[in-house]
Amino acid sequence: MDRGCERRADPGLLPGIWGAESTVVMLISAGKTLIRDQRIVLLPSAGRTLPELVVYLGRAEEGSDVPAGTDIVLEVVGAEDREAYDGDWLGLRDVATLLSGQDAGLFVEAAAVSNWHATHTHCPRCGAATEIESGGWVRRCPADGSEHYPRTDPAIIVSIVDEQDRLLLGNSAAWPAGRYSTLAGFVEPGESLEAAVIREIQEESGVVVHSPQYLGSQPWPFPSSLMLGFTATATGTATRADGVEIMDVRWFTRTELAAAIESGEVQVASGISIARALIERWYGGPLPEPKEGR
Ligand SMILES: [Zn+2]
């Protein structure tokens, strides 16, 4: 997909393409989209009224699931109107692993930008209701002219390894007792990513780390995060869970983690998350599944 950032600035973009055979509509309603046969339903725009809240998602390139040149536009649908459509309304977490790469990417883009619209309807300077511009990617205040852009909140997520190549995983206060994952936290204003890694890990686990190395990122629109994956080395092994966000932290060897997952004692993050990718990068391949009977 080509997001077509340069096309968005044209105020005639959406009225111009709406109704054309090459323009299709993806629906979103409180984070859920319409799914049929493990694909996002893309409706013809012809015959539909151009709604007030639409976002230009982009144009399909060669090799897409839809013909090259297809413009995809997001329409936000009220929960009360969902029943008018044939298909299942499902969230990103429900279907991400079933969708094609293109559909998963579209869903992430649509969820993130629609989450922003849902919570940023008014000007933060003066409180006036804002107006939507630039293909749904800008909101402008008619009172003071200020422009407001979709927000992304950076968060670091870290695989912490000690001198014996053991991995540190934590149990969050929000999770069941057996669920463990890599530690994570939001970057503060005026803070580098590396400083955030060192601060968050010490706060949550009591472990001092050094030499953070960036590995990769994942947009996580629940509602607006960008997860930045790192690995870092611990200077020591003593741990102290903060007892507020993190209830327990444990070091695992590969053998210990595999045994804990197989026995059902420990559950780790699902396949769609960067947490899983970080753990499997350290592990050296796919993690085992829980044994039968669990
Ligand atoms: Zn204003």
Side-chain angles (χ1 to χ4, degrees):
M1 292 290 301
D2 165 18
R3 288 190 177 207
C5 301
E6 77 292 349
R7 286 193 288 279
R8 296 174 192 161
D10 173 8
L13 170 69
L14 287 167
I17 63 172
W18 192 264
E21 202 169 309
S22 57
T23 301
V24 295
V25 182
M26 172 181 173
L27 305 175
I28 197 153
S29 177
K32 298 185 179 209
T33 193
L34 195 60
I35 301 282
R36 278 203 303 263
D37 301 327
Q38 302 186 1
R39 290 192 64 174
I40 293 175
V41 175
L42 298 173
L43 301 167
S45 64
R48 296 180 74 79
T49 309
L50 180 59
E52 194 179 335
L53 182 42
V54 287
V55 179
Y56 183 68
L57 293 179
R59 185 170 290 171
E61 298 189 309
E62 288 296 334
S64 297
D65 298 348
V66 292
T70 301
D71 285 306
I72 303 180
V73 178
L74 182 68
E75 177 177 340
V76 177
V77 172
E80 66 283 2
D81 295 326
R82 285 185 195 165
E83 287 186 8
Y85 298 96
D86 178 26
D88 297 316
W89 289 93
L90 296 171
L92 190 51
R93 282 189 171 97
D94 305 323
V95 292
T97 55
L98 305 175
L99 297 176
S100 69
Q102 176 179 307
D103 270 3
L106 267 179
F107 203 166
V108 170
E109 180 185 1
V113 71
S114 63
N115 286 343
W116 171 70
H117 279 293
T119 53
H120 291 76
T121 53
H122 288 71
C123 176
R125 296 189 186 178
C126 74
T130 47
E131 293 168 353
I132 298 167
E133 285 186 0
S134 295
W137 290 88
V138 175
R139 297 186 78 112
R140 181 187 296 277
C141 174
D144 58 32
S146 59
E147 292 182 337
H148 305 280
Y149 293 87
R151 167 177 163 167
T152 296
D153 301 326
I156 50 87
I157 182 163
V158 192
S159 62
I160 301 145
V161 180
D162 72 3
E163 286 183 352
Q164 299 161 59
D165 207 19
R166 295 184 303 173
L167 182 70
L168 186 71
L169 298 177
N171 168 249
S172 164
W175 298 340
R179 183 166 168 200
Y180 282 77
S181 192
T182 44
L183 299 179
F186 286 105
V187 180
E188 294 198 331
E191 186 176 44
S192 70
L193 298 174
E194 292 82 358
V197 167
I198 293 165
R199 175 184 57 76
E200 276 287 346
I201 301 312
Q202 187 163 16
E203 280 175 10
E204 293 187 346
S205 69
V207 174
V208 177
V209 300
H210 65 87
S211 310
Q213 297 290 310
Y214 175 71
L215 296 176
S217 65
Q218 179 183 40
W220 194 246
F222 306 108
S224 56
S225 299
L226 175 65
M227 306 304 296
L228 297 139
F230 280 81
T231 187
T233 309
T235 59
T237 58
T239 60
R240 176 187 41 79
D242 67 16
V244 180
E245 283 183 63
I246 300 295
M247 303 314 288
D248 184 38
V249 281
R250 281 172 64 177
W251 291 104
F252 291 91
T253 64
R254 289 174 182 78
T255 308
E256 286 165 355
L257 183 61
I261 291 171
E262 285 179 346
S263 74
E265 179 202 349
V266 162
Q267 303 90 45
V268 292
S270 76
I272 69 165
S273 68
I274 191 172
R276 178 81 170 209
L278 291 173
I279 296 169
E280 292 190 334
R281 178 184 179 274
W282 164 82
Y283 187 73
L287 291 166
E289 295 294 323
K291 285 256 168 69
E292 289 291 318
R294 289 288 317 174

